[in-house]
Amino acid sequence: PSNNTVLIAGLGDVPLSAGVQWDKNNWAPRIGFAYRPRESTVIRGGYGLSYFTHTYGFYGATLGGMYPVVLNSQWGVANDYVPEGNINFVPTPTAPPVPSNGVMPAPDLVYWFIPNDTQFPSIASWNFTVQQALPGSSSIEVSYVGNRGFHMPVQVDVNQSPPGQGAAGRLLFRAFGRTSPTPCRCSDKDSNYNALQVLGKRQFRNGLYLQLA
């Protein structure tokens, strides 16, 4: 959106990635431990880092479902409830000309974009548990569980207008006369989760087992 153009991957000097960079440091370590300081007590803990590449719609629809791959066309008058054409003829849209250099002006239609420096979302998870055996075939576990998400996916319209300024106040309208929403499918939000978990267990006779968390 910075220059109001659409890049066609693989044409001219436009690479197949359309300029979107890829992370080279996506290593995902795992570590865990278990320690038994005495017969009735066990201490456990672990840490892991995981990555995910969004859902297919978040990236896939952005790359394969936008203009000029997908065209929006209308025949006839909207909401007049009159059939357009006949059953023997199916109208076909006219494809726009694609320049050989792979760079074409962006139409004033809704389209999403992925920033060049997009990073894969990741989540760091950790836990620490103390398990204690109790009389009567019972045990209790007390755990701290936490995680933190990095570069979480979010969609933000970069062609918004300040309150009270209407369409004329849209940022891209001022630069290019563009009025349509232009959502950025970014990965720039973080998340945090921390929890205390308590689990009680009791083994009865005849295979009966009770668990309360």
Side-chain angles (χ1 to χ4, degrees):
S2 60
N3 54 15
N4 202 42
T5 58
V6 175
L7 302 181
I8 310 301
L11 291 183
D13 294 330
V14 182
L16 289 176
S17 65
V20 176
Q21 305 299 313
W22 59 282
D23 287 339
K24 301 178 181 179
N25 60 344
N26 292 343
W27 64 294
R30 302 285 193 279
I31 187 172
F33 73 92
Y35 174 57
R36 191 172 188 175
R38 55 179 179 265
E39 186 67 23
S40 60
T41 305
V42 176
I43 300 174
R44 297 188 299 270
Y47 172 86
L49 183 63
S50 303
Y51 292 84
F52 65 97
T53 57
H54 307 293
T55 59
Y56 176 78
F58 196 83
Y59 274 166
T62 306
L63 298 176
M66 290 286 92
Y67 175 92
V69 178
V70 175
L71 305 176
N72 295 319
S73 300
Q74 176 181 309
W75 289 268
V77 180
N79 302 320
D80 66 354
Y81 304 101
V82 176
E84 179 67 21
N86 58 69
I87 197 172
N88 297 317
F89 171 72
V90 178
T92 58
T94 301
V98 178
S100 60
N101 64 358
V103 181
M104 57 193 308
D108 197 3
L109 303 172
V110 178
Y111 71 84
W112 307 302
F113 72 95
I114 301 173
N116 292 344
D117 57 350
T118 293
Q119 293 182 292
F120 280 138
S122 62
I123 183 168
S125 305
W126 54 87
N127 63 81
F128 181 82
T129 301
V130 177
Q131 182 178 14
Q132 178 66 46
L134 302 174
S137 300
S138 301
S139 68
I140 186 171
E141 298 180 19
V142 180
S143 304
Y144 163 60
V145 177
N147 64 57
R148 183 176 180 185
F150 303 92
H151 311 297
M152 295 290 101
V154 62
Q155 179 168 300
V156 180
D157 183 10
V158 300
N159 196 24
Q160 299 188 52
S161 174
Q165 296 190 19
R170 291 180 178 268
L171 299 179
L172 298 180
F173 178 82
R174 296 175 180 177
F176 308 108
R178 179 176 176 78
T179 60
S180 298
T182 309
C184 170
R185 291 194 159 173
C186 313
S187 298
D188 58 2
K189 299 299 181 181
D190 293 345
S191 65
N192 288 280
Y193 174 81
N194 296 278
L196 174 66
Q197 298 181 358
V198 180
L199 175 64
K201 300 178 182 179
R202 173 68 188 274
Q203 181 73 48
F204 297 92
R205 296 180 179 179
N206 302 319
L208 181 61
Y209 180 82
L210 177 64
Q211 178 172 298
L212 181 64

